[in-house]
Amino acid sequence: MGQENKTQTWVSEFILLGLSSDPETQIFLFVLVLTMYLVTLVGNILILLLIRLDSRFHNPMYFFLSVLSFVDLCYANSFAPQMLALQLSGQKSIPFYSCVFQLYISLALGGSEFFLLGAMAYDRYVAVCHPLHYTVIMHGGLCLGLAAGCLAAGFMNSLMETIITFQLPLCHNVINHFACETLAVLRLACVDISFNKVMVAISGFLVIMLPCFLVLFSYGRIVTAILQIRSAQGRSKAFGTCASHLTVVCMCFGATIFTYLGPRSGSSVEMEKIVALFYALVAPMLNPLIYSLRNKEVIAAFQKVLEKFRDKE
């Protein structure tokens, strides 16, 4: 446990306060988190299987979607099992190095997802604005390179932020959050954290705003190209290829910009926990639903798989 000292505190474990201390609320939250976690697992695994098994989905758009689903699976697994275990056992402690690892992995996967959304926006830009050259531009090597670059950028940024966060001397070991999260850990510091706040702002700009600018640029060009299409059917089809991605972009970027770049206030801590829960579980749960329910090809492929299972029975 922590030994409180103004200059240095040795911490072997942290105490997570979670979302609520009320027993009845904890039961409700356990059921809610478990439900969202199971839906996340099933939805994203189904997306991965459909893309892998159906040759119609062997193209750049679905390649990036499969990487996004994989990242969502890993991201949910970095939070949900621990949250469920804490709610079920009532034991709210987490070892120091487990907390470090959780923060590192969650930051890495979260950052990677934003870069992936930027890469997916570029893919949609090429598909809509340069349809005749789409397969030439978005070749397999470029897609693999973009995906690898997104993951590398996310993990490198996370490594830097994790190191400077856990180098701080801590006044205590009680984290007012349901997981080890950057802002929550920084509040434990008993020294000036101005430098860390600057680094979080720089990290937020690089990981959030740069992909956001790429998305805005891509969709600005996409909208311009769509408006030049004469037929209403053609405009609807072109917009339909981007609608799912745009919905996910608005959901993910909006929640995270609010959490990390929004104004601080006395009640922001509780709001941060709600937004973090949304991004940790709700977004990974909704992503496969958004991409499947708005995509006739995915629905048709899913129905085909169900028919095969029925025939086997």
Side-chain angles (χ1 to χ4, degrees):
M1 299 290 290
Q3 296 175 348
E4 189 166 329
N5 190 297
K6 290 185 178 180
T7 57
Q8 187 174 16
T9 297
W10 297 101
V11 173
S12 61
E13 65 179 9
F14 292 99
I15 305 299
L16 298 172
L17 295 184
L19 290 168
S20 175
S21 59
D22 179 65
E24 292 185 359
T25 305
Q26 286 182 349
I27 294 173
F28 169 76
L29 289 173
F30 176 82
V31 175
L32 179 64
V33 170
L34 179 61
T35 302
M36 290 192 296
Y37 178 53
L38 293 177
V39 173
T40 299
L41 292 180
V42 172
N44 284 286
I45 289 174
L46 281 176
I47 289 289
L48 288 171
L49 288 175
L50 286 176
I51 294 174
R52 178 68 179 86
L53 297 175
D54 197 320
S55 59
R56 290 177 297 175
F57 301 138
H58 295 174
N59 59 55
M61 183 178 77
Y62 289 104
F63 166 75
F64 287 116
L65 178 56
S66 67
V67 178
L68 181 67
S69 291
F70 177 75
V71 169
D72 280 339
L73 273 175
C74 296
Y75 193 84
N77 278 306
S78 71
F79 281 105
Q82 179 215 324
M83 288 178 63
L84 293 171
L86 293 179
Q87 294 286 348
L88 193 62
S89 65
Q91 180 66 29
K92 296 189 175 184
S93 63
I94 178 173
F96 176 83
Y97 289 108
S98 296
C99 185
V100 174
F101 183 72
Q102 184 185 66
L103 178 63
Y104 172 66
I105 290 297
S106 61
L107 283 175
L109 294 172
S112 298
E113 179 156 338
F114 287 117
F115 288 118
L116 276 171
L117 290 174
M120 294 171 77
Y122 175 72
D123 170 71
R124 292 299 83 208
Y125 156 73
V126 175
V128 174
C129 299
H130 304 283
L132 298 179
H133 302 92
Y134 177 63
T135 55
V136 176
I137 297 174
M138 299 302 296
H139 56 85
L142 178 62
C143 292
L144 286 173
L146 286 173
C150 291
L151 293 172
F155 276 82
M156 288 298 293
N157 173 79
S158 176
L159 180 63
M160 177 272 295
E161 192 167 329
T162 302
I163 289 174
I164 65 172
T165 297
F166 283 99
Q167 281 184 338
L168 293 171
L170 307 177
C171 287
H172 60 91
N173 65 338
V174 180
I175 299 177
N176 186 12
H177 210 280
F178 60 82
C180 294
E181 190 263 353
T182 304
L183 297 178
V185 174
L186 288 180
R187 293 190 183 98
L188 307 183
C190 48
V191 295
D192 180 58
I193 58 173
S194 299
F195 172 74
N196 295 80
K197 288 182 177 179
V198 171
M199 295 306 295
V200 169
I202 294 174
S203 173
F205 177 81
L206 294 175
V207 174
I208 302 172
M209 300 311 298
L210 284 183
C212 186
F213 291 149
L214 178 58
V215 169
L216 292 175
F217 170 79
S218 297
Y219 276 99
R221 299 295 297 271
I222 288 171
V223 169
T224 301
I226 290 177
L227 292 178
Q228 292 176 353
I229 300 175
R230 295 183 179 182
S231 68
Q233 184 179 0
R235 289 195 297 268
S236 177
K237 183 179 179 180
F239 181 75
T241 64
C242 307
S244 298
H245 176 257
L246 189 58
T247 303
V248 172
V249 163
C250 294
M251 181 176 63
C252 293
F253 278 94
T256 306
I257 288 173
F258 176 87
T259 303
Y260 289 96
L261 304 181
R264 304 268 75 84
S265 65
S267 61
S268 65
V269 175
E270 296 304 317
M271 184 60 69
E272 282 171 12
K273 288 195 283 187
I274 295 174
V275 175
L277 179 64
F278 171 86
Y279 188 67
L281 285 176
V282 178
M285 177 186 69
L286 291 180
N287 283 352
L289 296 177
I290 292 170
Y291 277 104
S292 59
L293 293 178
R294 297 187 64 91
N295 192 311
K296 295 180 180 179
E297 290 183 346
V298 174
I299 294 175
F302 182 66
Q303 291 174 341
K304 187 177 179 181
V305 171
L306 288 179
E307 290 175 0
K308 286 183 179 180
F309 277 106
R310 289 173 184 173
D311 294 339
K312 290 181 179 179
E313 293 177 356

